[in-house]
């Protein structure tokens, strides 16, 4: 998985050293050491030895043999060893980091597109079927889907509140144009009274409650999933720049650059020696492994559960069907609602009005109002599945990182002479310890003390997001979910299958393919029989908008989302 871990510039230096530095002992000149040192450190340094000499002032690269290093060189090597280690970590995690960040951006972009598409569906419904109220409904439709986007991307907005707000604003329009058409009160107070009466007279039956349930079940898992990905990126960014202890820094210097002091510029550490050094340096990081494994497993469980009414794509793209059902139900109960509203708000001051209508602009019908069939391979569910399949390969990333770094290029191949920290030998004879903090008690190369507060903080964040992910992952038997109702929060036991009340059907995946066919426009005296019913087909999901367009509604359908994903309170 680590394609090119050794710095490229240093490879060039090693090639230069092939000219005359293949010996392992009896070095007579420091010329190759000088060349490598100057090239590695980007310039000449005064006081570099021309030939080996005693090095009594060296702190780490101590040897009984003459040395080509000075104290100043040792200090510069120490910096280089630390930089090399960070380069190794960044290179090893680059593919994983790219995988998560690329998919987080793709998921956010797809959700933004779905929100715009769902807003289009709902606007077309009003524009073509309930055209007299379309312009007045445009602001409420836009506000609703803006709130959907803000919630999905981390803002502190309440789905119950914005669903209620939408249906509250819808009732006065339905009342004025369908229940008591052609006349209206000129005062805003009367319209506000109708709006406030919506929750008392329940003109839309249980449809607002169903909408809250569907939004609550689908939006929260998607919100959690997306923000969990951003935590994954934060974990990788933090471990890429982890601070190393003084003991680790000395061990890295001794393993990587102390051989140079003896003219052994081509040597590589023995595998066992390398494992002890790297497992010691990365002992705290290895403690992330079980939590990282659980994090990926929880992402997978949540992704698998997001189907049917738990699939935000299904819920958003079918929201307009609930709206149409709500309007039809209010129209059917019109006489009863008329009496109830007159009782609560009084009879309106009847003044004839001419409602503004959608204006038809042939040139704008092509821009944003037509929606083509969505390819099944492009669904969010399939994208999540592909992502999880790739992410699963990295479940043990932190537990095997030290071994990967040694195996790929740091350590010498089996059977070749290698550096054991003091000299070139045939094999490393010290005990090789395992991964993790507990295994380091017997590490002969690196002393590991205490815990790392940065790693502990990351572990706490992973534990928290795992709890959130698991809390949003429905169980296959019975799922206890927050079902938001018109009267506040209520807990409802729902089964794992999507039922008719939720608007589901078709395949077991929970995806519903529908065709919406709508009349061109409705006159002022629209009769209920004039409305063509919305029906299901199995041919794909398209909107038949061959009738009149809705230029004015199009103008009001702009939707802007914050580009940066907000952070979940409690995680950051």
């Amino acid at each position: 998985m680590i394609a090119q871990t050794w710095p490229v510039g240093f490879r060039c230096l090693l090639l230069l050293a092939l000219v005359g530095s293949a010996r392992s002992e009896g070095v007579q000149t420091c010329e190759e050491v000088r060349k490598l040192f100057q090239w590695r450190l980007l310039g000449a340094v005064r006081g570099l030895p021309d030939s080996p000499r005693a090095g009594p002032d060296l702190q780490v690269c101590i040897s009984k043999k003459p040395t080509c290093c000075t104290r100043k060189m040792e200090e510069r090597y120490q910096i280089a060893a630390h930089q090399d280690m960070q380069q190794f970590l960044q290179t090893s995690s680059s593919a994983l980091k790219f995988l998560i960040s690329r998919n987080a951006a793709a998921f956010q972009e797809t959700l933004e597109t779905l929100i715009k598409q769902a807003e289009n569906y709902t606007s077309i419904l009003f524009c073509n079927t309930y055209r007299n109220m379309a312009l007045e409904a445009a602001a409420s439709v836009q506000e609703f889907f803006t709130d959907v986007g803000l919630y999905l991307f981390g803002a502190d907005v309440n789905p119950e509140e914005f669903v209620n707000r939408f249906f509250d604003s819808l009732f006065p329009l339905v009342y004025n144009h369908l229940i008591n058409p052609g006349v209206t009160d000129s005062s805003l107070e009367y319209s506000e009274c109708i709006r406030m009466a919506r929750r008392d007279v329940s003109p839309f039956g249980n449809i607002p409650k169903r909408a809250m349930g569907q939004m609550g079940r689908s939006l929260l898992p998607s919100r959690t999933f997306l923000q969990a990905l951003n935590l994954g990126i934060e974990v990788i960014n933090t471990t890429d720049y982890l601070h190393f202890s003084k003991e680790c820094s000395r061990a890295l210097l001794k393993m990587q650059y102390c051989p140079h002091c003896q003219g052994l510029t081509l040597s590589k550490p023995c595998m066992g020696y390398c494992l002890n050094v790297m497992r010691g340096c990365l002992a705290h990081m290895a403690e992330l492994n079980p939590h990282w494994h659980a994090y990926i497993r929880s992402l997978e469980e949540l992704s698998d559960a997001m189907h049917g009414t738990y699939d935000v794509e299904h819920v958003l793209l079918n929201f307009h069907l609930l709206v149409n059902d709500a309007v039809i139900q209010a129209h059917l109960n019109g006489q009863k609602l008329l009496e109830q509203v007159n009782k609560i708000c009084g009879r309106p001051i009847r003044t004839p009005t001419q409602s503004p209508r959608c204006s038809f602009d042939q040139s704008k019908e092509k821009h944003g109002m037509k929606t083509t069939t969505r390819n099944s391979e492009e669904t969010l569910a399939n994208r999540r599945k592909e992502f999880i399949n790739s992410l699963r390969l990295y479940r043990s990333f932190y537990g095997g990182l030290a071994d990967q770094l040694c195996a790929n290029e740091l350590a010498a191949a089996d059977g070749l002479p290698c550096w054991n920290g003091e000299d070139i030998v045939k094999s490393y004879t010290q005990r090789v310890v395992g991964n993790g903090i507990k295994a380091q008690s017997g590490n002969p190369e690196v002393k590991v003390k205490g815990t790392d507060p940065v790693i502990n903080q990351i572990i706490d964040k992973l534990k928290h997001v795992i709890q959130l992910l698991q809390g949003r992952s429905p169980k296959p038997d019975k799922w206890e979910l927050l079902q938001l109702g018109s009267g506040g929060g209520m807990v409802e036991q729902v089964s794992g299958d999507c039922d008719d009340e939720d608007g589901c059907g078709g395949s077991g995946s929970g995806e519903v393919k529908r065709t919406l066919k709508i009349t061109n426009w409705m006159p002022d005296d629209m009769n209920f029989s004039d409305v063509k019913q919305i029906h299901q087909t199995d041919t794909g999901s398209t909107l038949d908008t061959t009738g009149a367009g809705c230029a004015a509604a199009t103008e009001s359908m702009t939707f802007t989302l914050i580009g940066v994903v907000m952070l979940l309170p409690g995680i950051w």
Side-chain angles (χ1 to χ4, degrees), residues 389-458:
N389 286 339
S390 299
L391 187 62
R392 196 182 292 118
L393 301 175
Y394 295 90
R395 287 177 296 186
S396 300
F397 174 75
Y398 286 105
L401 185 56
D403 299 49
Q404 280 187 346
L405 292 175
C406 288
N408 279 308
E409 286 194 53
L410 282 180
D414 291 341
L416 295 180
C418 54
W419 173 256
N420 70 350
E422 296 179 358
D423 206 345
I424 296 296
V425 296
K426 291 183 179 181
S427 63
Y428 183 71
T429 57
Q430 296 285 350
R431 174 197 172 195
V432 179
V433 300
N435 283 294
I437 295 177
K438 292 182 179 180
Q440 305 310 309
S441 59
N443 194 324
E445 309 298 342
V446 185
K447 292 182 180 180
V448 180
K449 301 177 181 178
T451 60
D452 188 319
V454 175
I455 294 295
N456 289 343
Q457 186 179 29
I458 295 176

Side-chain angles (χ1 to χ4, degrees), residues 179-325:
I179 297 173
N180 196 1
V183 293
T184 185
D185 186 87
S186 59
S187 67
L188 294 176
E189 288 79 7
Y190 193 77
S191 293
E192 179 64 15
C193 180
I194 298 174
R195 191 186 72 82
M196 295 295 292
R198 196 272 301 178
R199 303 188 198 189
D200 294 325
V201 302
S202 299
F204 307 125
N206 71 337
I207 292 175
K209 176 182 175 181
R210 285 167 53 193
M212 291 176 200
Q214 291 184 13
M215 290 294 167
R217 288 193 292 266
S218 65
L219 297 185
L220 184 55
S222 294
R223 167 184 165 119
T224 306
F225 186 86
L226 185 60
Q227 293 181 326
L229 297 188
N230 284 275
L231 175 62
I233 297 172
E234 183 193 353
V235 170
I236 298 169
N237 284 336
T238 304
T239 54
D240 276 354
Y241 296 93
L242 200 62
H243 174 73
F244 297 107
S245 67
K246 183 178 180 180
E247 287 288 337
C248 169
S249 297
R250 291 169 65 91
L252 291 173
L253 166 61
K254 186 176 181 181
M255 182 180 76
Q256 292 178 252
Y257 289 104
C258 284
H260 290 208
C261 297
Q262 297 184 30
L264 306 173
T265 54
L266 294 180
S267 67
K268 285 188 174 185
C270 303
M271 177 59 76
Y273 176 48
C274 179
L275 289 175
N276 276 341
V277 172
M278 301 306 291
R279 286 174 178 176
C281 286
L282 301 180
H284 295 102
M285 196 180 296
E287 296 298 308
L288 286 172
N289 197 61
H291 307 286
W292 182 257
H293 191 284
Y295 162 76
I296 294 178
R297 186 179 64 250
S298 298
L299 277 173
E300 182 176 4
E301 291 174 353
L302 179 59
S303 179
D304 290 342
M306 292 162 66
H307 60 81
T309 53
Y310 295 87
D311 179 8
V312 68
E313 183 170 22
H314 162 82
V315 170
L316 290 179
L317 295 184
N318 288 283
F319 178 74
H320 63 281
L321 303 178
L322 284 179
V323 175
N324 186 72
D325 290 345

Side-chain angles (χ1 to χ4, degrees), residues 135-157:
L135 280 179
E136 295 174 77
S140 297
V141 171
Q142 183 183 25
E143 180 184 8
F144 174 79
F145 285 103
T146 298
D147 286 336
V148 168
L150 291 174
Y151 179 76
L152 274 174
F153 301 120
D156 187 18
V157 293

Side-chain angles (χ1 to χ4, degrees), residues 315-499:
V315 170
L316 290 179
L317 295 184
N318 288 283
F319 178 74
H320 63 281
L321 303 178
L322 284 179
V323 175
N324 186 72
D325 290 345
V327 173
I328 291 173
Q329 181 160 335
H331 187 272
L332 287 172
N333 297 321
Q335 185 59 41
K336 179 181 177 182
L337 293 172
L338 181 63
E339 295 172 358
Q340 289 177 310
V341 170
N342 287 340
K343 186 176 181 180
I344 295 173
C345 300
R347 294 184 180 276
I349 302 172
R350 303 171 71 84
T351 55
T353 60
Q354 181 66 38
S355 300
R357 299 175 179 174
C358 287
S359 59
F360 174 59
D361 187 340
Q362 192 74 26
S363 64
K364 291 187 177 182
E365 185 182 15
K366 300 177 182 179
H367 296 89
M369 297 302 294
K370 277 196 173 182
T371 307
T372 57
T373 302
R374 295 180 60 82
N375 192 317
S376 61
E377 282 75 20
E378 296 176 353
T379 64
L380 266 175
N382 286 330
R383 289 188 178 186
R384 284 195 306 266
K385 184 177 181 180
E386 292 176 3
F387 166 65
I388 293 296
N389 286 339
S390 299
L391 187 62
R392 196 182 292 118
L393 301 175
Y394 295 90
R395 287 177 296 186
S396 300
F397 174 75
Y398 286 105
L401 185 56
D403 299 49
Q404 280 187 346
L405 292 175
C406 288
N408 279 308
E409 286 194 53
L410 282 180
D414 291 341
L416 295 180
C418 54
W419 173 256
N420 70 350
E422 296 179 358
D423 206 345
I424 296 296
V425 296
K426 291 183 179 181
S427 63
Y428 183 71
T429 57
Q430 296 285 350
R431 174 197 172 195
V432 179
V433 300
N435 283 294
I437 295 177
K438 292 182 179 180
Q440 305 310 309
S441 59
N443 194 324
E445 309 298 342
V446 185
K447 292 182 180 180
V448 180
K449 301 177 181 178
T451 60
D452 188 319
V454 175
I455 294 295
N456 289 343
Q457 186 179 29
I458 295 176
I459 290 175
D460 288 341
K461 290 180 179 181
L462 282 173
K463 286 180 177 179
H464 182 60
V465 81
I466 288 167
Q467 289 179 344
L468 290 178
L469 289 168
Q470 292 176 346
R472 310 311 173 205
S473 300
K475 300 301 183 288
D477 295 323
K478 286 188 176 181
W479 307 331
E480 187 175 16
L481 296 167
L482 183 64
Q483 173 70 44
L484 298 174
S486 58
M490 62 175 287
V491 176
E492 178 183 8
Q493 295 285 342
V494 293
S495 67
D497 297 325
C498 178
D499 54 29

